[in-house]
């Protein structure tokens, strides 16, 4: 499977200028790709592909020198990047990274690359730091099976929620750490400040840079936490069951949508990658199962529960915490789905996996059985 390895880069002033040029070219094309898609959508056309798009983008690119980066794009896109494939880069014997048309750039090798990379993406973050991100092929490193004292697979059902990040079938809560919540609050404040500044003013530029820095901080902190959380989940459990992420339609209706969607999407992707890598099984159940409405004791479907209903009592007498109950149902649905998909003899299954953006995943609503 393919993994990403990221390192800090320290380009010289000359190399920064060359990179700025390269980013500029990549950025124009990116902006135009976004716009071409929006235009096509507005006109009810299919998204233009292949040579048509290529031609249009290059023609457009010649007229777009003066475009602002942040002004033109969604404020989520706060970094610049170029990608080079084999031939466009190499690691020198002196440890520097040779990039085509840029030169030999100093790299902080914080950990070893496990094998020769197939591509590298050079990124400049909004707070002026540079990184290179390699895509490398690694072998699976199957861990010993996670079994309990009776030899049964350790299973985990997770309900991704709004009041907590996730709750499992034992009622244990996995939540964003306080320092991340604090950073997110600061980010929101920076967004508000920017929106109040006059267009074109110096203060607006200042506010924009501040917002960009805070955005990077939140992204880094969150990604660090998600990596740690998913690693320990995958180590401790043989089977992990999640609801399909489209459930976050919940979040879309009212709460900070991008934050939830981004976190859950990354969480799911990391679980998928790590489960694959370490020989665990990730099961994603159908989003339409009424996991919040079903009594996990008697199986009765008790009708919709608005989001503010945190606990409820089933006519059978069982009282449920909303998320805890949902996690139990998710686990049960995952077991059923495994049975249906594989029969009692669960076979390893290697899905199409690992595109180079690391956005490997299973189709929506499908099971993702990995080597058990
Ligand atoms: Zn009941």
């Amino acid at each position: 499977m393919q993994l990403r390895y990221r390192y800090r880069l320290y380009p010289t002033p000359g190399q920064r200028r060359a990179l700025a040029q390269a980013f500029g070219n990549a950025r124009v094309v990116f902006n135009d790709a976004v716009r071409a898609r929006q235009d096509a959508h507005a006109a009810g056309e299919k998204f233009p592909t292949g040579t048509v798009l290529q031609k249009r983008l290059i023609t457009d690119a010649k007229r777009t020198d003066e475009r602002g980066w942040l002004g033109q794009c969604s404020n989520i896109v706060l970094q610049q990047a170029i990608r080079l494939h084999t031939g466009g880069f190499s690691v020198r014997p002196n440890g520097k990274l040779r990039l085509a048309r840029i030169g030999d750039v100093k790299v902080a090798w914080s950990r070893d690359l496990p094998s020769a990379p197939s591509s590298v993406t050079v990124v400049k973050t909004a707070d002026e730091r540079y990184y290179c991100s390699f895509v490398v092929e690694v072998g699976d490193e199957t861990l010993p099976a996670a079994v309990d004292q009776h030899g049964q697979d350790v299973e985990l059902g997770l309900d991704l929620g709004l009041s907590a990040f996730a709750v499992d079938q034992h009622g244990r809560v996995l939540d964003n750490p306080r320092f991340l919540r604090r950073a997110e609050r600061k980010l929101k404040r920076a967004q508000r400040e920017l929106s109040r500044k006059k267009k074109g003013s110096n203060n607006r530029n200042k506010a924009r840079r501040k917002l960009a820095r805070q955005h990077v901080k939140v992204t880094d902190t969150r990604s660090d936490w998600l990596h740690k959380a998913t690693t320990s989940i995958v180590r401790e459990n043989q089977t992990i069951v999640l609801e399909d992420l489209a459930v976050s339609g919940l979040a879309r209706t009212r709460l900070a949508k991008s934050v939830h969607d981004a976190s859950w999407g990354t969480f799911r992707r990391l679980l998928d990658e790590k489960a694959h890598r370490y020989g665990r099984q990730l099961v994603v159940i159908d989003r339409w199962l009424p996991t919040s409405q079903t009594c996990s004791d008697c199986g009765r479907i008790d009708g919709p529960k608005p989001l503010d209903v945190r606990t409820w009592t089933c006519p059978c007498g069982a009282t449920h915490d909303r998320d805890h109950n949902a996690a139990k149902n998710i686990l049960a649905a995952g077991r059923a789905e495994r049975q249906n998909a594989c029969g009692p003899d669960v076979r390893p299954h290697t899905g199409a996996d690992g595109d180079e953006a690391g956005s490997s995943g299973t189709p929506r609503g499908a099971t993702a059985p990995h080597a058990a």
Side-chain angles (χ1 to χ4, degrees), residues 43-324:
E45 296 164 10
K46 259 171 55 183
F47 179 61
T49 50
T51 48
V52 179
L53 182 62
Q54 196 72 14
K55 214 157 131 195
R56 196 194 294 177
L57 291 184
I58 288 165
T59 317
D60 281 4
K62 290 177 183 156
R63 295 187 242 118
T64 50
D65 294 347
E66 285 167 11
R67 291 198 177 167
W69 170 237
L70 293 171
Q72 289 290 325
C73 288
S74 115
N75 62 4
I76 303 299
V77 187
L78 288 167
Q79 61 181 23
Q80 306 177 45
I82 49 166
R83 181 174 304 159
L84 299 166
H85 292 277
T86 320
F89 72 97
S90 59
V91 179
R92 310 307 298 165
N94 64 6
K96 289 192 171 176
L97 175 65
R98 177 163 293 177
L99 299 169
R101 290 183 298 282
I102 308 292
D104 291 358
V105 184
K106 192 176 154 196
V107 184
W109 297 103
S110 42
R111 53 179 173 161
D112 287 342
L113 273 176
S115 61
S118 56
S119 75
V120 65
T121 304
V122 179
V123 168
K124 182 191 176 194
T125 62
D127 61 347
E128 310 273 313
R129 286 180 295 170
Y130 294 80
Y131 293 92
C132 58
S133 170
F134 295 98
V135 174
V136 289
E137 191 71 36
V138 295
D140 295 351
E141 303 164 32
T142 305
L143 289 170
V147 290
D148 62 18
Q149 66 268 38
H150 308 294
Q152 298 291 311
D153 284 1
V154 181
E155 298 173 312
L156 186 72
L158 281 180
D159 177 51
L160 300 180
L162 300 176
S163 50
F165 186 82
V167 174
D168 74 6
Q169 78 271 19
H170 305 295
R172 292 177 301 196
V173 173
L174 173 70
D175 212 353
N176 290 318
R178 183 179 305 195
F179 56 80
L180 177 56
R181 293 203 298 271
R182 201 184 308 135
E184 284 172 350
R185 272 201 302 276
K186 277 192 186 168
L187 175 62
K188 270 187 206 136
R189 205 176 309 142
Q191 271 159 348
R192 272 200 306 275
E193 274 167 27
L194 174 63
S195 69
R196 281 199 295 262
K197 302 290 187 242
K198 213 172 124 198
K199 288 223 164 97
S201 68
N202 271 341
N203 279 340
R204 188 177 172 89
N205 279 334
K206 227 190 269 172
R208 185 145 64 193
R209 278 198 296 276
K210 190 172 166 195
L211 172 61
R213 277 198 305 276
Q214 195 56 35
H215 200 283
V216 172
K217 202 182 238 171
V218 167
T219 309
D220 284 357
T221 310
R222 188 191 297 136
S223 135
D224 201 47
W225 177 73
L226 285 168
H227 261 285
K228 286 181 182 143
T230 50
T231 297
S232 64
I233 287 172
V234 165
R235 287 193 164 277
E236 289 159 21
N237 298 281
Q238 190 61 31
T239 304
I240 301 133
V241 188
L242 294 179
E243 234 173 349
D244 189 277
L245 273 173
V247 167
S248 61
L250 271 184
R252 235 168 256 130
T253 55
R254 45 172 71 195
L255 293 165
K257 56 189 185 314
S258 59
V259 172
H260 281 289
D261 288 358
S263 298
W264 289 346
T266 309
F267 183 71
R268 155 96 181 263
R269 176 174 63 78
L270 292 175
L271 280 180
D272 194 33
E273 283 178 7
K274 291 175 186 184
H276 193 176
R277 186 172 182 193
Y278 295 114
R280 304 307 203 212
Q281 188 175 44
L282 178 70
V283 181
V284 180
I285 62 157
D286 198 283
R287 61 178 283 207
W288 301 114
L289 292 172
T291 52
S292 307
Q293 307 176 17
T294 306
C295 171
S296 57
D297 276 18
C298 71
R300 179 196 173 100
I301 298 175
D302 196 47
K305 307 271 175 268
L307 275 175
D308 56 346
V309 175
R310 305 310 310 168
T311 61
W312 53 282
T313 302
C314 175
C316 78
T319 297
H320 297 297
D321 169 85
R322 177 198 187 88
D323 300 336
H324 182 186

